[in-house]
Amino acid sequence: MKQKINLLIGFSFLVLLALIAIQCYLVKTSYDYKVEQFHAEVKEKIAKITNDYTDIDSTIVNGKEVYYKRLVNNYVQNKNSKSKLKSKLLENPYRAALTQQLKRKIEREFPKSEIDFAVVINKLVLLSKSKKTDTIFSEKPIIGNSIYGSLPSLENAFSVRNYVETTSGFRDSDYKLLADETLFVSVKNWEQIILKRMVTILVLSVFSILILIFLFVIAISALIKQKKVSDVKTDFINNITHELKTPLTTLSVSTKILERKEVKENEAVFNSILETISRQNVRLQNIIDQVMNNSLGFEEIEFQKEKINPNLLLKTIVADFNLAHPNVEIKSDLMINNLELLLDKFHLTTAINNVLENAVKYGCRTVSIRTSIENKLFSISIQDDGIGILKTKQSFLFEKFYRVEQGNLHNVKGLGLGLYYVSQIIKAHKGSIKVVSDLGKGASFIISIPSI
Ligand code: ADP
């Protein structure tokens, strides 16, 4: 059963992870799609701008053309090298003015976003009808080859379009300079623009993942709770059957013995069997009382509180305990003062006895009982040197019917109600109880009750 539940939890967890992964994948796909869409929008608008140069100052355009022609001329006449042609072309004097004009156009088209751009030359070729094609340079797009624009790097930019710019030589030459160019654009805060567009999807996704996790946690904790309740029920039935078995067997054997003729005739034996029957009867009654009374919550118990000196009460409890368990050494360090608290004598005595009885039940040889008062809290510490309690089990000790599986102490009887009852009684006195222990190192139960 336990294995089945673990498998179920593991499988549900995997399904949950898969659902979260699918959700993340869908969000990522939709993000990629939005990026594509955004790039397409930008490309379309930029294409409109760069297709139409009619509103760009013609003196700049013409001046640039003449400058290019002169560069071609100088190169053809061997006045410039290839690298000189390239560098002169890149640092052309119309660069700033053209950049400015293009920028203005872009700003008009994208009034709300900050857009930067660069036109990068990838390849420069000189064509002539009479001569072989002369490649001045051919490189991958790099920012160093930008002729217009003020983009500092191509890192966050995307290519918008490729085009070929043609410049013919002077009238008397048949040279043509072809520049293969790419326009790169970078939109400032483009991630924010896309995130803004995705806000509904993101919120819905996060919300649905959170709801999924929440439902998963609720379902699993309900399952674990259910399993615990069922375990506790089974344990309780086993424990109570175990507890009832001994007196019932004794009673049945004793009645059978009583039926024998020789026993009936022997008054001493007869009386001793009767005594056994009566003892077992009391024991059965005690078990039933224990279940009836100790399983009540503190709201269901009737309390009769009176002003009592708790140290004197503990003194009598210790004295009675000493008589009942002469083999257990009891060390008491009780405060001697006139402190009086509003306590229910009967229930508190039973509760403290439960803790002391547990110390004996779970293997102690010595019990130390100490009282102290600090910050208006009256504390009773009951420490034993018994088998101790695993740290992982300690948080369940005060739950109804909870018993630690006893390992090598199978024969320790109990119903798992003793500490539950103690905790309820202490709660009714507005106090608290905690345990400090570890397996094999004894246990300390510390009860604190407010002194006002
Ligand atoms: P019960 O003794 O009937 O099982 P309790 O509610 O009194 O039920 O105690 C709950 C569990 O706490 C016990 O089953 C036992 O394992 C553990 N326990 C209680 N007191 C001690 C102690 N002094 N030393 C070790 N284990 C203890």
Side-chain angles (χ1 to χ4, degrees), residues 358-359 361-362 384 387-389 397 402-404 406 413-420 443 445:
N358 271 352
K361 244 162 80 175
Y362 299 105
D384 66 55
I387 58 170
I389 307 150
L397 287 191
Y402 181 79
R403 302 200 74 214
V404 181
Q406 289 306 331
K413 288 177 191 164
L415 296 174
L417 283 170
L419 287 181
Y420 170 74
F445 287 86

Side-chain angles (χ1 to χ4, degrees), residues 16 19-20 22-24 26-27 200-216:
L16 180 74
L19 282 177
I20 292 175
I22 291 171
Q23 190 75 27
C24 291
L26 288 179
V27 170
T200 327
I201 295 181
L202 278 177
V203 168
L204 284 178
S205 300
V206 171
F207 194 61
S208 57
I209 288 179
L210 287 181
I211 288 195
L212 211 62
I213 294 176
F214 179 68
L215 291 179
F216 176 78

Side-chain angles (χ1 to χ4, degrees), residues 48-205:
K48 266 192 229 154
I49 298 168
T50 47
N51 273 340
D52 179 12
Y53 281 96
T54 46
D55 58 348
I56 288 187
D57 193 343
S58 59
T59 52
I60 301 173
V61 178
N62 292 340
K64 187 200 94 179
E65 181 110 356
V66 174
Y67 178 75
Y68 272 32
K69 282 182 198 293
R70 193 169 300 128
L71 286 180
V72 171
N73 210 31
N74 286 346
Y75 175 73
V76 173
Q77 290 172 8
N78 283 333
K79 285 187 194 157
N80 278 342
S81 64
K82 281 187 180 182
S83 62
K84 188 100 181 197
L85 170 61
K86 181 187 170 189
S87 64
K88 286 268 178 199
L89 199 90
L90 293 180
E91 66 197 36
N92 82 75
Y94 300 94
R95 180 188 173 119
L98 258 167
T99 300
Q100 214 46 44
Q101 297 270 353
L102 280 170
K103 230 179 194 163
R104 225 168 288 145
K105 284 182 110 193
I106 290 175
E107 270 164 16
R108 230 178 292 142
E109 199 63 39
F110 298 93
K112 281 185 199 141
S113 349
E114 268 183 58
I115 295 192
D116 210 347
F117 70 98
V119 177
V120 173
I121 304 187
N122 309 315
K123 196 173 179 182
L124 203 59
V125 179
L126 197 63
L127 292 181
S128 158
K129 279 177 201 142
S130 49
K131 291 200 173 150
K132 251 186 19 194
T133 305
D134 185 5
T135 304
I136 313 295
F137 79 92
S138 171
E139 288 170 12
K140 275 189 188 154
I142 52 167
I143 196 66
N145 290 342
S146 107
I147 53 165
Y148 313 118
S150 46
L151 204 62
S153 133
L154 295 184
E155 212 168 286
N156 283 318
F158 57 96
S159 94
V160 167
R161 62 180 310 202
N162 271 313
Y163 47 93
V164 177
E165 195 181 0
T166 318
T167 315
S168 321
F170 283 122
R171 229 166 285 139
D172 51 350
S173 75
D174 72 338
Y175 284 104
K176 249 186 195 164
L177 184 68
L178 299 187
D180 172 27
E181 296 170 355
T182 310
L183 171 64
F184 282 92
V185 161
S186 139
V187 183
K188 203 175 168 199
N189 300 335
W190 63 273
E191 289 102 334
Q192 277 176 20
I193 296 172
I194 289 172
L195 283 181
K196 240 187 227 166
R197 290 179 182 187
M198 287 190 61
V199 101
T200 327
I201 295 181
L202 278 177
V203 168
L204 284 178
S205 300

